[in-house]
Amino acid sequence: MNAAEKITRNRALASWVEEVARYAKPERIHWCDGSEAENEHLIEQMLADGTLEELNQKTHPGCYLHRSHPSDVARTEHLTFICTENQADTGPTNNWMSPADARAKVWPLFDGAMKGRTLYVVPYLMGPASSPFSKVGIEITDSAYVAVNMRIMTRMGQVALERLGDSADFVKGLHSLGDLSPERRFICHFPQSKEIWSVGSGYGGNALLSKKCFALRIASTQARDEGWLAEHMLILGCEDPQGKTTYIAAAFPSACGKTNLAMLIPPLSQAGYKVWTVGDDIAWLRPGPDGRLWAINPENGFFGVAPGTNNETNPNAMASIGKNTIFTNVAVTKDRQPWWEGLGQAPEGLTDWRGNPHDASKGEPAAHPNSRFTAPATQCPGISPKFDDPQGVPISAIIFGGRRASLVPLVYQAFDWAHGVLVGAMLSSETTAAATGKTGVLRRDPMAMLPFCGYNAGDYLNHWLRVGKGLKHPPAIFNVNWFRRGPAREFLWPGYGENLRVLRWIVERAAGAGKAVETPIGYVPTADAIDTRGLDVAATTMQELLHIDAEGWTAETRDIEEYLHKLGERLPAELLQQVQRIRQRLLAGSARPAASVAGRTA
Ligand code: O2Y
Ligand code: MN
């Protein structure tokens, strides 16, 4: 039975597609089956109409370039809305629109929007094909570029229809390029009806509705209602020389090296260790019957930032994108290889991301700072053998991390789950010029979910506390900061592959070992707890990296209190009590060897 025959048996799906088609008036409808032949056909069609350009097929087989509209190069948070009846359910951290206003203001933008275009029906599955935790989405789009990207980023086509069967339980995503005008660009989420409307953008998170829209914003509300967590987290497995793998989930705001950590390759000095990539961006975490938290990566590919990616910073990402990859807004060399800043000296004859000859004297980058690669996860040399495991992996540690030049130590461990929720809620990062144009502005980003939580942030933090209370064996929670600087603004920690040394301490602590001192903000490694052999980091530098400045932290607690109050009256009082406890400890000036974490000796 082919895709179309199956679809007509699903009445809910067929009638929704009919309704949209009547309104958007496409020239034709194409039901995607996800096959290789279909992919080849769509690529040929896009090469013919200029949506894609072929890259050098000798050096980059199966790779293509897409240039998005110059005004459409990133997620647009100010045009992203959560549409709930009651504004308080959306909360103070999201833009709100009532469903009635969305219908009046946004729905008409789909009227006739697909005239002369093809309407693609893209069925997709979030999560491994045989996982009971996977969920089905259907994206209707008038962009063939979206369809081929969805084939990389999700399990797309027949597999999703088979999973759906006759059920009406799927997330409806409606996407149209519209006229690509920022004035008529909206990304609306309807958590109650599990719908997404996106119009006016063909780029990334605005258009690939599986990613931030479904797997985070809609899924976070499903997770709240069903007792699990949908998080902006990588998942990795850290294997020790004895062959034991410990799984870790980690949340970092954008531009903090999340993909690099997910794909870390241990340096030679750490031979015998291995990091396995389960996911680089999103984790769905469920309490298991064994009282542990289990994670799946709902995605099937990487939509990574190209600039800065190279064989030193992330060799596994480079290996992942050598074939079958779609590049968006990168530059191109004379011999049609993709190029971006971070790949060394700019070669002569570059074409920039807009398609113009690159003029290096102007000082502008050749690739857009948010240029991307879309690559299949299975092409990553370090992809975990558990990537497709229907049960996912058991999580022993959760890491939060941000970019902070001072104050926040290299690593510390929360006292317990509730304190860990505060550590996540306190997450903050200083902006980089590449990401925002402004350097060093502190942004608070609880759990790195600020742009992605689909409901009231106070309710969300409450939900985190609730999930922890139900776990017999909750993961230990940590905070890391790879970006602390010294007096000359130099980075104190080498980062990248050397971060494995910090992961090793985290793994030890999660197993009830590892040496630590108890400080007012949490457990910090003792001076000798992190293996620095073979590293050019002086003992005094380690001291600085692990130093807790009581005065600075007291000010930080006041700042965080002020910020938490902005999250509104649904903020759990327990978190404010946690902040006060830290301040009391800072005033009391405690710093002693950590006696125990849930009965373990340090
Ligand atoms: O700018 C976009 O559309 C993409 S944003 C993005 C993409 C992949 C993974 N993470 C992010 C992010 O902003 O966190
Ligand atoms: Mn992300």
Side-chain angles (χ1 to χ4, degrees):
M1 194 181 296
N2 70 20
E5 276 169 292
K6 270 205 174 295
I7 288 145
T8 47
R9 283 165 22 127
N10 187 316
R11 287 317 307 157
L13 176 53
S15 61
W16 175 55
V17 171
E18 279 158 26
E19 181 206 349
V20 170
R22 259 196 314 276
Y23 193 54
K25 303 177 188 72
E27 181 98 3
R28 64 194 80 76
I29 298 178
H30 176 89
W31 295 80
C32 291
D33 61 14
S35 64
E36 187 60 48
E38 174 184 81
N39 192 50
E40 278 169 19
H41 170 76
L42 291 175
I43 284 170
E44 258 167 44
Q45 180 190 308
M46 285 188 281
L47 288 172
D49 70 18
T51 305
L52 289 184
E53 287 184 15
E54 196 166 70
L55 290 168
N56 187 324
Q57 296 298 300
K58 283 212 179 89
T59 58
H60 291 76
C63 292
Y64 301 91
L65 167 70
H66 172 71
R67 295 196 181 96
S68 70
H69 190 276
S71 72
D72 186 26
V73 291
R75 283 186 292 105
T76 42
E77 283 169 29
H78 65 294
L79 303 174
T80 299
F81 294 84
I82 306 293
C83 304
T84 51
E85 293 296 344
N86 179 356
Q87 183 168 4
D89 292 337
T90 287
T93 58
N94 286 309
N95 300 316
W96 175 74
M97 199 187 285
S98 75
D101 282 354
R103 190 152 270 282
K105 191 172 172 181
V106 180
W107 179 245
L109 298 175
F110 290 99
D111 188 359
M114 298 187 183
K115 269 186 196 156
R117 301 179 184 167
T118 301
L119 179 160
Y120 298 94
V121 184
V122 183
Y124 63 95
L125 188 59
M126 298 309 285
S130 55
S131 172
F133 312 125
S134 298
K135 288 186 182 287
V136 175
I138 310 282
E139 177 163 352
I140 292 180
T141 176
D142 54 9
S143 162
Y145 164 80
V146 165
V148 296
N149 273 270
M150 290 291 285
R151 182 170 181 267
I152 298 174
M153 292 305 298
T154 69
R155 281 94 172 164
M156 187 267 253
Q158 198 73 15
V159 61
L161 290 176
E162 266 155 32
R163 175 63 178 262
L164 184 63
D166 294 335
S167 168
D169 185 15
F170 58 92
V171 170
K172 293 177 181 169
L174 172 56
H175 168 251
S176 172
L177 296 169
D179 62 7
L180 288 179
S181 159
E183 272 77 58
R184 285 174 291 282
R185 181 176 299 160
F186 293 96
I187 300 100
C188 294
H189 305 74
F190 303 83
Q192 196 166 5
S193 57
K194 292 188 288 182
E195 275 179 271
I196 304 154
W197 295 349
S198 169
V199 62
S201 167
Y203 186 83
N206 293 340
L208 311 178
L209 301 186
S210 60
K211 195 168 181 58
K212 307 298 187 178
C213 296
F214 178 177
L216 289 176
R217 297 195 190 96
I218 295 288
S220 61
T221 63
Q222 294 177 296
R224 173 200 59 194
D225 298 342
E226 297 167 8
W228 51 283
L229 297 165
E231 297 301 322
H232 188 203
M233 289 181 176
L234 63 82
I235 310 166
L236 62 81
C238 184
E239 184 180 328
D240 69 17
Q242 288 70 48
K244 182 174 179 236
T245 303
T246 303
Y247 292 95
I248 298 173
F252 293 76
S254 311
C256 287
K258 198 163 133 201
T259 302
N260 294 346
L261 182 64
M263 298 182 188
L264 184 150
I265 297 183
L268 284 179
S269 62
Q270 304 291 301
Y273 287 90
K274 176 131 187 53
V275 169
W276 297 103
T277 308
V278 184
D280 78 325
D281 197 39
I282 297 176
W284 285 358
L285 303 132
R286 290 177 184 267
D290 59 357
R292 293 189 291 175
L293 201 55
W294 288 75
I296 60 164
N297 170 11
E299 300 193 285
N300 198 37
F302 308 124
F303 186 63
V305 178
T309 306
N310 60 48
N311 280 324
E312 272 73 53
T313 60
N314 196 336
N316 272 347
M318 292 301 284
S320 308
I321 62 182
K323 59 182 180 183
N324 307 322
T325 296
I326 298 172
F327 293 89
T328 302
N329 295 341
V330 298
V332 202
T333 63
K334 266 196 304 214
D335 66 345
R336 302 216 52 81
Q337 295 194 50
W339 193 89
W340 48 80
E341 278 64 28
L343 287 181
Q345 178 88 25
E348 283 295 307
L350 271 182
T351 302
D352 74 11
W353 66 275
R354 294 171 195 259
N356 300 322
H358 180 57
D359 181 355
S361 69
K362 287 194 178 146
E364 283 176 4
H368 189 278
N370 194 31
S371 53
R372 298 278 170 164
F373 51 78
T374 319
T378 48
Q379 289 185 182
C380 178
I383 196 70
S384 166
K386 299 274 184 185
F387 173 68
D388 257 328
D389 192 310
Q391 294 305 321
V393 294
I395 298 296
S396 300
I398 289 176
I399 304 177
F400 296 107
R403 179 183 283 271
R404 295 287 301 258
S406 60
L407 192 74
V408 180
L410 177 63
V411 59
Y412 68 96
Q413 179 184 3
F415 296 118
D416 54 24
W417 179 274
H419 176 220
V421 175
L422 174 68
V423 170
M426 293 195 317
L427 192 55
S428 60
S429 197
E430 287 148 11
T431 54
T432 59
T436 64
K438 278 195 197 139
T439 308
V441 179
L442 187 71
R443 287 217 176 137
R444 298 235 167 250
D445 187 355
M447 289 11 192
M449 279 289 277
L450 196 60
F452 308 124
C453 178
Y455 63 102
N456 182 297
D459 288 343
Y460 167 75
L461 294 172
N462 234 321
H463 179 57
W464 259 83
L465 291 171
R466 216 170 29 235
V467 167
K469 285 182 185 128
L471 290 170
K472 199 161 162 218
H473 307 290
I477 299 183
F478 299 82
N479 192 88
V480 298
N481 175 24
W482 316 133
F483 303 96
R484 197 152 166 169
R485 292 179 190 255
R489 302 281 305 151
E490 77 286 13
F491 287 117
L492 294 176
W493 180 248
Y496 300 109
E498 304 297 354
N499 292 337
L500 180 83
R501 297 167 189 261
V502 177
L503 291 187
R504 282 176 55 196
W505 183 77
I506 288 173
V507 168
E508 284 168 17
R509 293 295 294 171
K515 291 197 277 180
V517 282
E518 184 181 329
T519 78
I521 67 157
Y523 300 110
V524 173
T526 55
D528 59 345
I530 292 180
D531 175 11
T532 54
R533 282 171 302 172
L535 210 57
D536 188 19
V537 176
T540 48
T541 306
M542 277 314 284
Q543 269 169 19
E544 206 175 333
L545 276 163
L546 298 172
H547 176 66
I548 308 299
D549 166 22
E551 214 176 292
W553 271 99
T554 304
E556 179 83 356
T557 59
R558 298 225 182 273
D559 202 54
I560 190 70
E561 234 165 16
E562 203 178 297
Y563 177 78
L564 289 177
H565 280 297
K566 289 189 194 149
L567 299 185
E569 57 198 28
R570 297 194 190 177
L571 179 84
E574 197 174 339
L575 288 190
L576 292 170
Q577 287 156 11
Q578 290 277 351
V579 185
Q580 281 150 16
R581 245 174 264 150
I582 291 177
R583 199 158 48 240
Q584 279 157 9
R585 284 193 219 107
L586 284 160
L587 284 171
S590 70
R592 51 200 153 93
S596 67
V597 180
R600 309 174 202 133
T601 49

